[in-house]
Amino acid sequence: ELVEPALNWLAEQDRVEQEEAEYSAAVDAMKQALDDWLPRTDLERLYYRLQNFDREIDANLVRRLDERFRTLSEMSRRRSRLITAGSVASILVIGGVVAWGIYAYSRATELDQYVAILDRHVTSKDIDAAEDFLEELQDYDPEAYSSEEIQGLAGETRRLRNDEDGRVSRLNELLRSAEEAGATWEGFGTALNFLSDAKELARDELERADIARLESEIRSIHREQQREYDDRFKDDLSRYT
């Protein structure tokens, strides 16, 4: 009877940890599906699986998913328009100049759509979506990919990627330094300073969670060291007395 509350608490912790592990696996599966450009049906299935956990889904992940759905829909519409344009062009080939004018207008319209999609990704700093779109466009429509407008946005995408890689590298460096400093009694304050700088660089919940986890570990180590110092002082004082 005395330990039953503790046992119940431990059982609840096990359940929470299991649920957290399943949720993390579902989030990782969704991210991998987005990176692999899986079909819309697979993305919807994974999204419904995340919703079953009855918790708030990371806003960045939801935004990536919404952007992907829009991109897939736009790509599907473009393919339909290309098929239609090809059929019309074959019928109007005798028209010559008229057919070319229609084609040129269609190409200009398509290019404007490509630019609008890519510009939206760049403006929102969704680097992964911008890179995925550029890679698909290079295979799907090399001519549009080589255009001045697309190449200008591609350069901006590369700049954003370089900035992001630098930010992530600096963040990882701060976390490593904090972990090393936090392992010693003297480095506790320095470790907290490193973590403070890392918090300013963090941009998503996953990074903030990693920082919080490391801070908790460092504080736990410091408390244990404090207990050891206290016990040692008590022993020394007892012997002196």
Side-chain angles (χ1 to χ4, degrees):
E1 289 176 351
L2 286 174
V3 301
E4 183 178 5
L7 294 176
N8 291 338
W9 181 84
L10 288 173
E12 176 63 16
Q13 294 304 305
D14 290 340
R15 185 193 67 78
V16 170
E17 290 178 1
Q18 178 65 27
E19 180 179 331
E20 185 64 29
E22 292 175 357
Y23 179 74
S24 297
V27 171
D28 291 341
M30 173 62 77
K31 291 180 178 178
Q32 188 62 47
L34 289 170
D35 292 340
D36 295 339
W37 278 79
L38 292 186
R40 184 187 188 101
T41 53
D42 292 338
L43 294 176
E44 290 176 341
R45 175 177 54 79
L46 292 171
Y47 183 62
Y48 293 148
R49 178 184 173 191
L50 280 174
Q51 288 181 316
N52 288 334
F53 285 96
D54 193 24
R55 63 171 66 185
E56 185 177 358
I57 303 174
D58 181 68
N60 290 330
L61 187 59
V62 173
R63 178 174 51 77
R64 282 191 65 191
L65 187 61
D66 289 341
E67 289 287 344
R68 182 58 50 79
F69 282 158
R70 285 195 293 271
T71 299
L72 291 174
S73 298
E74 290 165 357
M75 289 296 184
S76 177
R77 287 195 295 271
R78 284 201 300 273
R79 291 189 182 95
S80 299
R81 286 196 298 272
L82 283 176
I83 294 173
T84 302
S87 301
V88 172
S90 64
I91 296 173
L92 298 179
V93 66
I94 299 176
V97 176
V98 175
W100 173 252
I102 294 175
Y103 172 76
Y105 177 78
S106 175
R107 290 295 295 166
T109 302
E110 280 191 341
L111 180 59
D112 289 342
Q113 292 174 341
Y114 294 149
V115 171
I117 294 172
L118 184 56
D119 182 68
R120 185 165 62 248
H121 292 324
V122 171
T123 301
S124 62
K125 295 185 178 181
D126 191 345
I127 306 172
D128 291 336
E131 290 176 338
D132 291 341
F133 181 80
L134 284 168
E135 183 178 354
E136 182 172 341
L137 183 62
Q138 186 176 15
D139 295 335
Y140 178 72
D141 195 339
E143 181 181 354
Y145 176 82
S146 302
S147 67
E148 181 179 354
E149 297 90 335
I150 293 295
Q151 286 303 304
L153 290 170
E156 181 65 13
T157 300
R158 288 190 291 271
R159 185 191 66 78
L160 289 174
R161 171 56 68 189
N162 290 335
D163 291 345
E164 175 64 8
D165 290 344
R167 183 192 69 83
V168 172
S169 177
R170 175 58 178 162
L171 177 62
N172 291 333
E173 179 182 353
L174 287 170
L175 293 181
R176 284 193 298 270
S177 299
E179 186 173 12
E180 293 175 0
T184 64
W185 171 265
E186 298 80 4
F188 178 68
T190 303
L192 294 184
N193 290 335
F194 284 139
L195 290 176
S196 178
D197 293 340
K199 291 175 183 178
E200 295 181 359
L201 289 176
R203 288 186 179 175
D204 57 42
E205 291 302 321
L206 182 60
E207 291 176 345
R208 283 188 280 271
D210 288 339
I211 295 172
R213 175 190 55 77
L214 180 57
E215 182 176 358
S216 177
E217 292 176 357
I218 291 174
R219 291 186 180 278
S220 177
I221 291 173
H222 188 70
R223 286 194 297 270
E224 182 63 28
Q225 291 172 337
Q226 180 68 62
R227 282 194 293 269
E228 292 177 359
Y229 284 132
D230 291 344
D231 292 341
R232 192 177 304 129
F233 176 77
K234 290 176 183 177
D235 291 341
D236 292 343
L237 180 61
S238 177
R239 285 195 297 271
Y240 175 77
T241 303

